[in-house]
Amino acid sequence: MNIDSIFQAAQTAFLDYKNLSGKEKGHFLETLAEILESNRAAIVPLAVRESNLPEGRINGELGRTTGQIRLFANLVKEGSWVEATIDPAMPDRSPLPRADIRRILTPLGPVVVFGASNFPLAFSTAGGDTISALAAGCSVVYKAHPAHPETSRKVAECIQQALSACGLPSAIFTHVEGGIAEGQALVKHPLAKALAFTGSHAGGMALFHLANQREVPIPVFAEMGSVNPIFCFPQKLEKENDTLAKAFVASLTLGAGQFCTNPGLIFVPEKQAQNFELAIAAELHAIAAAPMLHEGIAKAYYDSIQALEARNELRWVKVADPKHLINGSPALAEIKAADWLKHPLFHQEVFGAFGLMVVYRDHAELLDIAQQLEGQLTITVWAELEELKNNLTLVNLLQEKCGRLLFKGAPTGVEVGHAMQHGGPFPSTTASQTTSVGSYAIKRFARPIAFQDMPQELLPEALMDANPLGIWRTVNGVMTMK
Ligand code: NAP
C-alpha cells in the first residue's frame, strides 16, 4: 500500500468531484443506497458473523445506513445546505462604497475516516462519516476497522460499483486496511484535510494529538463515547417507578451495552432509591449475557468492572458473571453521591452493560454532581413538569454539559434527522460545534469561502443573481428563495 499514491489519487478525484452538481452527487448516493440494499443477502451474514450482533439488529442497521445515505442525497439535491449568503455591491454607499461579497460552503478535500467497531454498517465503511463527507463533495480515504474486515470489503465493493455506475473516479473512495501505523500514516499525510473517528477515548485522543502535531494541523471530529447520565426526580419516580426501571434496563442492556449513548450513570433520590433499585434488579436479573463485539472489548469490560469491584464505596446490586469472556453480563452497582463526587474513577465510561446508580441526598448535592460532570453526548432528566420548574438552575447547567438533553425515554436509539445532535463537549467529542449523526454532520467537511467582486458567470451557481438552483439564500441579511 502506497499511502502517497492513495492521497494523490484522492486529491485528483476530489478536484473533479467537488464541482459536480448537488443533483449528480445525490444521484451517486441514491445509487449507492440501492446497491447496498441489493447486496443485503451478502452483507448481513458477514456483519453478523464478524460483530456477534443479532441478525435483526444488523438488518435494521443496514436500513438505517441506506436511510441516512438517502437523507444526505436529498439534502445535496435540494442544495440550500451550502448557506449561500450574498451582500450585493453598494457602489453609492457613503462614505465608502461596498464591494459585492458572496459566501458559500465549499468541501475541504480528502477526508480520513476511521470505522467504528460497534456499528459495522451505520458508523463504518458507508456510514455517517463517510457519507456526510462524500455528500459535502470530499473524497474519502477510509481506514477499515479490523473487527469486521470482510463486511468492510464488501461494502467498499458496493461503493466502487456505485461510483462506476455513475461514471465517477474510483479514487473518490479508497478502502485501506492495516493497523495503528497505517492509520497514523493516513492522518499525517499532507493532503489529508480532516479526520473523522468513532471509538475509544485513547484512540481518539492519540489521533487528535497527531493531527495537531502536523505541520498543517487538520480538524478532528472524534466521537469518543460518554456515560450519558440520567437524573431522576422524586415525584417522577413515585409515579412511574416500574416503567422507568424497565426503560433504564432496556437502554442499559441494548446491544450488550455497546452504544456510545448507553446510560452508564443514574442519579436517584435517597427516599425513592430502594424501590427503584428493587425494580431495576428484577429487570436486570432476567437479562442474559450477550456476546460482545470481540474479545478485546469483552476483556476491557471485565477489566473495568474488576477495577470497580476493588473499591469498597460500591455495593453490588448485580455482579457481572464472566463465564464466557466474549459474553457481556449486565451489572449494576450503587454508590452514595458523596463518594461519587470524590473519585473520578466513578465518572468514567465502562463500555458495556454496566450501570452505576448514584444515590443523592438533596438538590444541593445534585447541583454539585452537575458541576462535576464531564462533557456528555446526552443527559436525560426524568422529572415532573413542576420539578423541572423548581430546578431551572440545574436544567440550565446540564445544557452546558451535553449535546442532547432528553426529558422522556432513554438516550439509546439516535434518530437520524435534520435536528439531531450527536456530539457534546469534551471529552465526549473533540468538536462540540458539530454532530456525527444527522444532516448537520455535512458541515464538518466544508469551510466557508467568500468571493469578492467575482464576475457573475464565474460564480458557483448557488451564488449567481438569478438563483438558478432555486435554493434558500441569505441576501442582504434576509432569507429568501429569490
Ligand atoms: P479503538 O481502539 O478506539 O479503535 C478504533 C479505530 O482507531 C481502529 O481502527 C484503531 O486501529 C484505531 N486506533 C486506535 N488507537 C489508535 C492510535 N493510537 N493510532 C492510530 N489508530 C488508532 O476502538 P475499538 O477497537 O472499537 O474498541 C475499543 C474500545 O473503544 C471499547 O472497549 C470502547 O471502550 C471504545 N469504543 C467506543 C465507542 C464510542 O461509542 N465512542 C465505540 C466503539 C468502541 P486498529 O485498526 O489498528 O485497531
Side-chain angles (χ1 to χ4, degrees):
M1 176 182 51
N2 182 328
I3 287 178
D4 190 48
S5 335
I6 288 175
F7 274 99
Q8 295 297 346
Q11 171 71 7
T12 307
F14 162 68
L15 291 175
D16 280 343
Y17 178 61
K18 72 168 186 160
N19 290 323
L20 251 53
S21 69
K23 291 210 169 27
E24 288 165 311
K25 290 191 193 98
H27 174 64
F28 156 56
L29 293 176
E30 283 168 346
T31 307
L32 172 57
E34 278 163 26
I35 291 175
L36 285 171
E37 264 156 12
S38 66
N39 279 275
R40 183 180 285 272
I43 294 169
V44 169
L46 286 178
V48 169
R49 177 162 58 74
E50 291 187 318
S51 69
N52 294 322
L53 294 166
E55 193 181 324
R57 146 76 197 268
I58 291 293
N59 256 314
E61 194 178 319
L62 183 54
R64 175 190 168 129
T65 307
T66 54
Q68 67 195 10
I69 293 174
R70 291 197 169 98
L71 180 83
F72 283 105
N74 289 336
L75 185 79
V76 295
K77 274 164 52 188
E78 191 280 331
S80 304
W81 77 273
V82 296
E83 295 179 2
T85 305
I86 302 175
D87 288 345
M90 297 167 85
D92 301 328
R93 189 180 68 174
S94 168
L96 288 172
R98 181 171 85 179
D100 180 281
I101 303 175
R102 297 171 187 238
R103 195 185 65 213
I104 193 176
L105 294 177
T106 189
L108 291 180
V111 171
V112 179
V113 174
F114 281 72
S117 58
N118 60 339
F119 279 90
L121 302 173
F123 279 83
S124 288
T125 324
D129 288 336
T130 296
I131 297 304
S132 51
L134 291 174
C138 298
S139 53
V140 169
V141 179
Y142 178 77
K143 161 69 172 60
H145 196 289
H148 50 258
E150 287 187 44
T151 312
S152 198
R153 273 175 226 139
K154 183 71 201 164
V155 174
E157 230 177 83
C158 293
I159 300 177
Q160 287 307 330
Q161 269 178 41
L163 286 169
S164 161
C166 296
L168 296 173
S170 66
I172 287 173
F173 176 88
T174 310
H175 187 252
V176 176
E177 293 183 57
I180 302 267
E182 285 74 15
Q184 296 193 344
L186 298 182
V187 176
K188 283 193 210 157
H189 196 280
L191 287 173
K193 290 293 186 298
L195 158 62
F197 167 94
T198 299
S200 66
H201 182 79
M205 287 312 292
L207 294 172
F208 177 78
H209 290 312
L210 199 62
N212 282 289
Q213 282 157 7
R214 289 166 43 116
E215 196 176 321
V216 180
I218 51 172
V220 176
F221 305 105
E223 195 266 77
M224 304 179 291
S226 175
V227 207
N228 306 294
I230 300 181
F231 285 76
C232 303
F233 279 74
Q235 286 173 33
K236 187 74 172 177
L237 282 191
E238 290 288 347
K239 272 176 82 170
E240 296 179 33
N241 186 70
D242 291 3
T243 317
L244 295 176
K246 263 191 190 16
F248 170 63
V249 172
S251 182
L252 181 74
T253 56
L254 189 70
Q258 301 167 113
F259 288 107
C260 38
T261 49
N262 187 58
L265 264 183
I266 185 156
F267 297 100
V268 179
E270 206 167 30
K271 195 163 163 231
Q272 286 73 24
Q274 197 185 5
N275 258 354
F276 195 45
E277 184 188 300
L278 280 173
I280 289 176
E283 292 291 327
L284 212 50
H285 282 285
I287 296 199
M292 297 191 80
L293 293 158
H294 58 76
E295 282 188 7
I297 285 198
K299 183 174 181 315
Y301 175 65
Y302 287 112
D303 285 351
S304 305
I305 296 238
Q306 214 170 22
L308 291 170
E309 278 172 348
R311 303 295 306 226
N312 53 20
E313 295 93 337
L314 299 185
R315 189 173 63 77
W316 289 82
V317 179
K318 163 141 189 353
V319 292
D321 178 19
K323 273 204 197 87
H324 306 284
L325 192 58
I326 193 70
N327 277 349
S329 161
L332 185 87
E334 192 207 274
I335 187 171
K336 287 193 172 62
D339 289 329
W340 183 86
L341 283 163
K342 277 187 222 147
H343 299 287
L345 169 71
F346 303 132
H347 305 199
Q348 283 160 21
E349 181 185 16
V350 174
F351 194 71
F354 168 73
L356 184 57
M357 182 166 149
V358 183
V359 179
Y360 67 86
R361 278 195 319 266
D362 50 30
H363 291 179
E365 206 162 47
L366 216 43
L367 277 176
D368 286 348
I369 288 166
Q371 246 135 14
Q372 277 211 19
L373 268 187
E374 290 187 322
Q376 307 286 337
L377 292 172
T378 74
I379 294 179
T380 302
V381 183
W382 284 342
E384 291 292 299
L385 180 60
E386 212 45 42
E387 292 177 305
L388 289 174
K389 285 182 176 168
N390 292 336
N391 285 280
L392 291 177
T393 310
L394 177 77
V395 174
N396 192 28
L397 184 54
L398 293 181
Q399 292 173 45
E400 302 308 305
K401 303 281 181 159
C402 69
R404 180 163 58 109
L405 190 58
L406 294 85
F407 294 90
K408 252 190 198 174
T412 44
V414 183
E415 180 70 32
V416 183
H418 300 293
M420 180 46 70
Q421 174 58 27
H422 186 70
F426 186 84
S428 66
T429 72
T430 52
S432 64
Q433 306 91 325
T434 63
T435 174
S436 59
V437 176
S439 60
Y440 194 72
I442 196 173
K443 305 279 166 90
R444 295 176 297 172
F445 304 116
R447 66 183 172 86
I449 180 168
F451 299 100
Q452 188 160 329
D453 291 327
M454 194 182 211
Q456 271 292 314
E457 55 270 49
L458 296 185
L459 280 168
E461 282 187 312
L463 293 176
M464 288 177 172
D465 279 348
N467 193 9
L469 301 178
I471 58 174
W472 283 99
R473 313 192 293 184
T474 304
V475 179
N476 267 327
V478 177
M479 256 314 213
T480 171
M481 274 188 104
K482 286 191 194 138

